[in-house]
Amino acid sequence: MPLNTAAVEVRTAITRVLASWSGLVAEQRGTAAPRREVPALTGFLLRHLDWLSGHEAVGDLTEEVAGLMRAAARVVDAPPERSLPVGACRTAGCGGTLVARSVRDSGTPPEVVCTATPAHRWELHEWLPKDADQEPGPQDADGDALHAAAAATSLWLSATDIARLWQAPRGTVYRLASEKGWRRRSRAGRTYYHAGDAQRSLAERGRRTGS
């Protein structure tokens, strides 16, 4: 299951802020600080709410907690993100992993993003090789690292992968693969389709339906 980094970051921020205010209360009231866990920190602050309401910094506390609530709401209400690992980042000196990623109901096509450096990103059609069987040559290696990496990766996806990335019913994927003659390969008894063919067909379908 893909890690929801936004949720992790918000939870970390919540823990940090609550622990900071709990530390202030414990120090100024001469009491033991609670465990560094959100339920314990929240309960501790609520028990000292009357004292906090009269503290000179109560405005800052209120502002920080409100900000955390907004951040948490954005994570909870965000459209589900789908991702599929496609290999190591090919940007020189970067040790991150590339994932093909899409956000449901966003209206934007999938893109390839580095998990370590989000600035390393490309739209999926930029990442895909024009010819799935091409090999990166000297010109690719020297002048176009992106297409060299794409050719080396040769992105082939299962019908399930395609349905997940483009939020399309699997029946539609199989139908388009047959109608449009998508290139395919078999590995260990499973069929994989060329992602470039899927990209073109599903983009055309989206334009016709207005999605």
Side-chain angles (χ1 to χ4, degrees), residues 14 18 44 49 54 74 79 115 118 147 158 161 184 203 210:
I14 290 172
L18 295 182
F44 178 82
L49 189 58
R74 285 194 296 270
T115 57
H147 283 88
S158 69
D161 294 333
R184 65 185 68 196

Side-chain angles (χ1 to χ4, degrees), residues 140-164:
D140 290 322
D142 294 335
D144 192 344
L146 174 60
H147 283 88
T153 301
S154 294
L155 196 54
W156 296 85
L157 304 174
S158 69
T160 300
D161 294 333
I162 294 168
R164 183 174 65 187

Side-chain angles (χ1 to χ4, degrees), residues 68-157:
L68 293 173
M69 291 177 63
R70 289 192 296 270
R74 285 194 296 270
V75 170
V76 171
D77 296 334
E81 181 181 289
R82 308 289 185 175
S83 62
L84 179 73
V86 296
C89 185
R90 301 304 178 93
T91 302
C94 181
T97 300
L98 292 174
V99 295
R101 187 177 69 182
S102 66
V103 178
R104 192 176 71 189
D105 301 330
S106 67
T108 58
E111 59 181 358
V112 175
V113 183
C114 177
T115 57
T117 309
H120 299 163
R121 66 173 62 213
W122 304 270
E123 291 186 17
L124 188 58
H125 72 84
E126 297 175 313
W127 172 254
L128 297 170
K130 294 179 181 178
D131 180 354
D133 297 316
Q134 70 181 339
E135 294 296 333
Q139 183 176 0
D140 290 322
D142 294 335
D144 192 344
L146 174 60
H147 283 88
T153 301
S154 294
L155 196 54
W156 296 85
L157 304 174

